[in-house]
Amino acid sequence: MLHQEADFDRLIELLPQLPEQLALTLMLVAVAMLVGGIFGLVIGVFLYATRPGNILAQRGVFNVLNLLVNFFRPIPFIILLAALQPLARLTIGVGIGEPMAMFAMGFAATFGIARLVEQSLVTVPPGVVEAARASGASRMRTLLTVVIPEGLGPLILGYTFAFVAVIDMSAMAGVVGGSGLGNFALQYGYRQFNPLVTWAAVIVIVIVVQIVQMLGNWLARRVMRR
């Protein structure tokens, strides 16, 4: 009983830190999604367009991009964090802290999002593409003004999925000295044997995920009903 009261008192003591840790988590995720979203979109669009038989078919380019995505995407994030440290020191100058966490999260998000973008664009009916080409639209114009807008609904759902995955990644930021809710839960909850603190951080993460998922579903429905 005394132990439970002590855990509760510790939770009350730490609660004021939760908003700051939430802000740090959202900052890590926002930067990673910005970097991964842009590079993932470019790679994913080229993966789709250069597929054999598609509008910019280039078997060599497709094979190289496909190999890159297949190589990096399955690597567990905790291993990727360690493996990317030499590259992070070379490119951003540090291998620890928030910059390293954002670098690794952006890197991992790039290849995950690239595959989501390719799979979303594949859902565009071939007849729509053929109609655009038959009307005289160039390959690039067809890609930018027909294929991507037609695949916008699945793309929004894909990016929503990626956002949730990047939040999961942020929980490991503490391994390289990063901050955020995941590190808060590990440092003050798991390592100090206080499940109340761990669950407080988990509940905040779940609420954020639910809000983002609801917004993504709502936006995708509006786009697909145009």
Side-chain angles (χ1 to χ4, degrees), residues 26-215:
L26 293 178
M27 180 196 70
L28 292 175
V29 173
V31 173
M33 282 299 296
L34 180 65
V35 174
I38 293 173
F39 286 107
L41 179 65
V42 172
I43 295 174
V45 167
F46 274 96
L47 264 173
Y48 164 80
T50 59
R51 290 165 70 96
N54 221 331
I55 54 180
L56 293 174
Q58 286 287 338
R59 186 181 294 275
V61 175
F62 173 79
N63 286 339
V64 170
L65 293 177
N66 198 43
L67 179 65
L68 279 174
V69 173
N70 284 344
F71 182 84
F72 286 111
R73 197 167 67 96
I75 299 176
F77 186 65
I78 189 72
I79 296 174
L80 196 62
L81 267 174
L84 286 177
Q85 280 192 323
L87 181 61
R89 291 195 181 95
L90 190 66
T91 53
I92 62 174
V94 293
I96 59 171
E98 275 85 12
M100 173 60 200
M102 288 186 283
F103 177 83
M105 289 161 63
F107 189 94
T110 294
F111 296 101
I113 289 174
R115 187 62 79 195
L116 289 172
V117 169
E118 181 205 17
Q119 291 173 351
S120 299
L121 297 183
V122 166
T123 64
V124 176
V128 175
V129 179
E130 291 166 6
R133 294 287 294 139
S135 66
S138 67
R139 289 181 172 84
M140 192 55 72
R141 186 175 178 184
T142 301
L143 187 62
L144 297 177
T145 64
V146 176
V147 174
I148 293 178
E150 285 292 326
L152 196 54
L155 276 175
I156 291 171
L157 291 176
Y159 271 83
T160 304
F161 178 84
F163 186 95
V164 175
V166 173
I167 287 181
D168 290 344
M169 294 178 198
S170 73
M172 301 178 199
V175 174
V176 291
S179 302
L181 288 170
N183 183 55
F184 177 84
L186 289 173
Q187 184 174 346
Y188 298 109
Y190 178 72
R191 290 174 186 161
Q192 295 185 10
F193 305 102
N194 190 331
L196 292 179
V197 173
T198 303
W199 277 104
V202 168
I203 288 170
V204 175
I205 292 173
V206 169
I207 291 172
V208 171
V209 167
Q210 291 299 320
I211 292 172
V212 170
Q213 189 67 58
M214 286 171 60
L215 285 174

